[in-house]
Amino acid sequence: MVDGVRTADRASSTAAPRPWRLAMAEALYGANGFYARGQAPGEHFRTSVSAGPAFAEGILALLRRVDLALGRPDPLDLVDVGAGRGELLHAVATVTTTAEPELSGRLRLSAVEVAPRPRGPAADLRQAATVRWATSVPPQVTGLLVANEWLDDIPLDIVEQTAAGPRLVMVTPAGAESLGAAPAPADAAWLARWWPLRPGERGEVGRSRDEAWAGAVGSVRRGVAVAIDYAHRLGGRPAGGTLSGYRAGRAGPAVPNGSCNITAHVALDACAAAGRAAGATVTLLTTQRHALRELGVTGRRPPTELARTDPGCYLKALARAGEAGELTDPGGLGGFDWLVQGIGVPLPLR
Ligand SMILES: C[S@@+](CC[C@H](N)C(=O)[O-])C[C@H]1O[C@@H](n2cnc3c(N)ncnc32)[C@H](O)[C@@H]1O
């Protein structure tokens, strides 16, 4: 199961309480779900992709390293999983087409997205022949697979530890919660390994994310897979959980009625283990701040002298430094984690 959303999760609408995983799947990807209605992620929350072209420059720098490690294959894949409106691939294509025709000629761009494809003249341009759209990861990828803020949108169950043992948290579309049955043995085992709970605490069962990530890594024949997300690690899991809703740029309660995006931070350390089991030969778990700086995306301001000699260039460099500063801010996007896994190639980042 590469797409992380099981068919059974696409249950029909009901007002009865049900486990969070089903509720979230319906609220995001069901018939009237947030993403199924074609909501553009960038209109509801700011991701690194929507922060401007500096993020794509970092990904392109990473792609060049992967290309080199692979011996410049033809085709060279760049796969964006959870591609939203395809902005990242579009930005990479724009730079390579004009500045790197040799690379551009070998590049095979794939957008993997379950939401409806964007429509309209700008979207047509964005998708001009160069980008292949699919609802699941293509098999036999040779190159770079990127998943920016994908895993946090994979539906998951929530469990509360009671005196009688762990219980599934149930929820109605209006957001009213109650406790249900014990979680499935595989979920209980996941919690015991990755999110041990004390009485009264809640855990978010990341097994669905592990499976989704393992599917993505397993589709890479040779190359690198990168998951970028807000994350937590064993020993630092937030006791109350991280489930929240996003709508029109604001965080709010997670109400699974299709009106908002519902996300929960990702146990990327658990995903790393799943990726290793799926074939990753090397792994790095680091912050976006570190990764982007290593790739040359820094918030360094241009010399003020440039303002006098070339004001246009100075302003451009200043705007780019601002963008890079936002992407590497440790209190914001820079605090995201990067899970970088190589499949048959060395790590492209230190
Ligand atoms: C938070 S948005 C991120 C969009 C984009 N990557 C960005 O950074 O702006 C998550 C996207 O993942 C998509 N998605 C969720 N589950 C998916 C799946 N199983 N396969 C493909 N896309 C999926 C959603 O439809 C949504 O567009």
Side-chain angles (χ1 to χ4, degrees):
M1 183 196 65
V2 84
D3 74 0
V5 182
R6 292 175 176 167
T7 310
D9 287 354
R10 303 176 200 267
S12 58
S13 264
T14 163
R18 54 195 164 157
W20 260 107
R21 179 174 169 151
L22 290 179
M24 191 172 161
E26 179 71 23
L28 296 184
Y29 310 109
N32 286 314
F34 179 80
Y35 284 121
R37 291 200 320 273
Q39 298 291 312
E43 283 166 20
H44 293 272
F45 39 85
R46 196 162 174 81
T47 68
S48 296
V49 171
S50 51
F55 183 73
E57 284 169 24
I59 296 298
L60 181 52
L62 182 62
L63 179 68
R64 287 191 201 104
R65 292 184 188 186
V66 174
D67 185 35
L68 204 59
L70 288 169
R72 305 192 191 285
D74 186 2
L76 169 70
D77 284 306
L78 176 58
V79 180
D80 184 4
V81 187
R85 296 283 166 125
E87 295 93 336
L88 176 62
L89 294 179
H90 175 63
V92 168
T94 304
V95 175
T96 52
T97 310
T98 49
E100 297 175 65
E102 191 280 326
L103 176 64
S104 168
R106 288 184 291 115
L107 206 47
R108 187 166 62 181
L109 303 169
S110 302
V112 182
E113 180 52 66
V114 288
R117 270 174 68 163
R119 303 275 169 224
D124 290 345
L125 256 183
R126 187 172 294 160
Q127 294 170 47
T130 49
V131 178
R132 303 183 314 169
W133 285 76
T135 53
S136 59
V137 179
Q140 301 287 312
V141 171
T142 299
L144 176 62
L145 177 147
V146 179
N148 188 61
E149 293 202 42
W150 169 50
L151 292 171
D152 66 275
D153 269 339
I154 300 289
L156 85 181
D157 267 323
I158 299 182
V159 164
E160 186 169 315
Q161 189 70 24
T162 72
R167 292 287 178 267
L168 279 173
V169 178
M170 314 288 283
V171 64
T172 67
E177 289 187 340
S178 53
L179 293 184
D187 285 342
W190 188 94
L191 285 166
R193 167 69 182 88
W194 292 109
W195 196 322
L197 294 170
R198 286 182 298 220
E201 286 183 349
R202 280 182 169 208
E204 294 157 355
V205 189
R207 198 166 65 85
S208 50
R209 278 92 182 270
D210 294 2
E211 287 177 352
W213 183 243
V217 169
S219 71
V220 180
R221 199 174 63 83
R222 276 184 78 222
V224 171
V226 185
I228 303 162
D229 236 304
Y230 32 97
H232 41 58
R233 303 186 195 184
L234 191 63
R237 312 269 188 234
T242 61
L243 195 74
S244 48
Y246 281 88
R247 186 164 188 255
R250 293 221 166 139
V255 180
N257 61 5
S259 68
C260 60
N261 185 25
I262 296 177
T263 79
H265 295 203
V266 183
L268 271 182
D269 47 357
C271 293
R276 276 192 288 270
T281 42
V282 284
T283 294
L284 173 74
L285 195 48
T286 187
T287 63
Q288 169 148 307
R289 179 179 175 82
H290 173 82
L292 283 183
R293 286 180 151 198
E294 231 266 294
L295 291 166
V297 179
T298 71
R300 203 170 303 126
R301 292 164 70 92
T304 41
E305 173 67 7
L306 192 62
R308 231 179 15 84
T309 54
D310 189 342
C313 185
Y314 176 77
L315 285 177
K316 227 170 132 184
L318 201 60
R320 190 188 172 287
E323 251 176 46
E326 181 185 357
L327 290 170
T328 54
D329 174 4
L333 293 169
F336 275 41
D337 275 355
W338 280 42
L339 168 59
V340 185
Q341 298 200 290
I343 299 96
V345 295
L347 278 174
L349 284 173
R350 273 170 289 145

